[in-house]
Amino acid sequence: MRIKTLLTSALFAKEGETFAPVALPHTWNAIDGQDGGADYWRGIGTYKIDLPSPTPGKKQYIEIQGANHVATVYCNGRELGTHKGGFSTFRYDLTPAMKAEGNVLTVVVTNAVSDIYPQNADFTFYGGLYRDVNFIEVNETHYDLLKHGTSAVFVTPHCSGKTRVDLFPVNAAGCTLVVELKDAEGNVVGTGACEAEAHSHIIIDVKDPHKWQGMEDPYCYTATASIVKGGEAVDAVTVTYGYRSFRVDAATGFWLNGKNVPLHGVSRHQDRQDKGWAISKADHEEDCALIKEVGANTIR
């Protein structure tokens, strides 16, 4: 099965400066980017991160959940690739570059002015590895970690209860894909299975699904997709989803599951004083609690 390790420290240097320890997540504009002057430093920063030693027989990946806004990634000096865009998760396969021990990940990040959207807005473009960085180990047979930063398991629910699950395994010839759906109380409400292909899908019917009704009743289900090889699950992914339908009417507004729901919202930025974008889960949760407290039911 897969193991995910959160990486929490690095050495960091701006171009031309000496490396110094920092905590991850990190932004180099935490202070100079918060005064609204639009004169904060925009350039290249380099991170050096020690990696765990690899487990024999496993594959290793790096997962970066946010690097603003262009990041080039190296493992032990070997270039793995460049990701453009500061707001999405991306991963690289470390396995070919890994040594038995003493592995170092280098990430060169820039928030310098470029042609990467967006470049001009009413907020600071904080540079750095401002979201979590994870080291992941999986078996040779696994759900595709290089599928554009996704889980490689996609659930399409319909209010009728018809539920389609699309699956993208790798190295899974001869394996069986098994999907188990559970309600919010943990009860199994449906199962399905199929032979593994590069793109497989399973359709499961759920009887009288409990609908997701926004803030009023945010009821969710889970889908756990396993890859079974020789009677043993060698990888599994769990995703959360809800059954709902919606439409927008020019005269009456937004409708959710056939019910008219007036939308009252706020515009939220992902920053805090002296932290910039490198905020904690607790900060995110506090923001959400405050938004709920004022009675909003949407966020831009």
Side-chain angles (χ1 to χ4, degrees):
M1 300 296 280
R2 61 180 62 190
I3 299 174
K4 179 181 288 190
T5 302
L6 178 66
L7 305 178
T8 58
S9 62
L11 294 176
F12 170 75
K14 292 181 181 177
E15 50 189 321
E17 296 186 358
T18 302
F19 281 91
V22 297
L24 297 176
H26 173 265
T27 174
W28 57 74
N29 298 121
I31 304 302
D32 70 352
Q34 67 183 1
D35 62 7
D39 56 353
Y40 57 97
W41 187 77
R42 299 185 70 171
I44 298 172
T46 300
Y47 296 87
K48 294 185 180 295
I49 307 170
D50 290 334
L51 297 174
S53 296
T55 302
K58 299 281 189 177
K59 291 181 69 68
Q60 292 76 38
Y61 292 85
I62 196 69
E63 175 184 85
I64 298 175
Q65 295 185 356
N68 197 49
H69 56 236
V70 179
T72 302
V73 181
Y74 305 82
C75 181
N76 298 326
R78 178 171 177 170
E79 183 174 341
L80 303 181
T82 297
H83 177 81
K84 297 181 179 181
F87 304 102
S88 57
T89 295
F90 59 98
R91 306 186 188 101
Y92 288 110
D93 185 356
L94 300 172
T95 314
M98 292 289 282
K99 303 182 296 184
E101 58 184 17
N103 296 282
V104 176
L105 184 81
T106 302
V107 186
V108 181
V109 187
T110 177
N111 68 336
V113 177
S114 71
D115 59 353
I116 306 301
Y117 180 84
Q119 286 294 318
N120 185 28
D122 61 344
F123 56 86
T124 297
F125 298 103
Y126 291 92
L129 295 176
Y130 71 92
R131 290 180 182 160
D132 286 350
V133 178
N134 293 296
F135 176 79
I136 302 173
E137 287 198 312
V138 291
N139 290 314
E140 287 281 343
T141 299
H142 57 274
Y143 285 108
D144 191 358
L145 283 159
L146 299 182
K147 187 126 183 99
H148 309 297
T150 70
S151 65
V153 173
F154 304 93
V155 180
T156 306
H158 298 271
C159 286
S160 65
K162 180 181 178 181
T163 309
R164 175 174 171 137
V165 185
D166 286 83
L167 309 146
F168 295 85
V170 294
N171 300 321
C175 297
T176 302
L177 307 182
V178 178
V179 174
E180 184 177 70
L181 306 182
K182 292 184 179 180
D183 63 18
E185 290 72 42
N187 302 306
V188 176
V189 295
T191 59
C194 68
E195 293 185 6
E197 297 180 1
H199 176 194
S200 304
H201 78 272
I202 295 172
I203 295 177
I204 303 170
D205 288 317
V206 174
K207 185 178 180 180
D208 299 324
H210 187 141
K211 294 187 176 58
W212 181 89
Q213 191 62 40
M215 295 292 293
E216 179 184 310
D217 184 15
Y219 193 93
C220 287
Y221 290 74
T222 58
T224 297
S226 303
I227 306 176
V228 178
K229 185 176 184 178
E232 177 185 0
V234 295
D235 193 28
V237 170
T238 298
V239 298
T240 302
Y241 71 97
Y243 293 91
R244 74 283 183 267
S245 64
F246 62 89
R247 63 184 179 90
V248 177
D249 183 273
T252 57
F254 182 75
W255 293 76
L256 178 63
N257 299 324
K259 181 178 180 179
N260 187 220
V261 179
L263 300 181
H264 303 285
V266 300
S267 177
R268 174 183 180 256
H269 290 280
Q270 56 176 357
D271 55 13
R272 282 294 179 96
Q273 184 176 358
D274 299 334
K275 292 183 178 181
W277 284 353
I279 62 177
S280 67
K281 182 179 179 181
D283 293 329
H284 285 292
E285 290 176 342
E286 184 177 51
D287 281 357
C288 290
L290 290 169
I291 291 167
K292 290 173 66 176
E293 183 179 322
V294 302
N297 61 0
T298 60
I299 298 174
R300 182 181 75 85

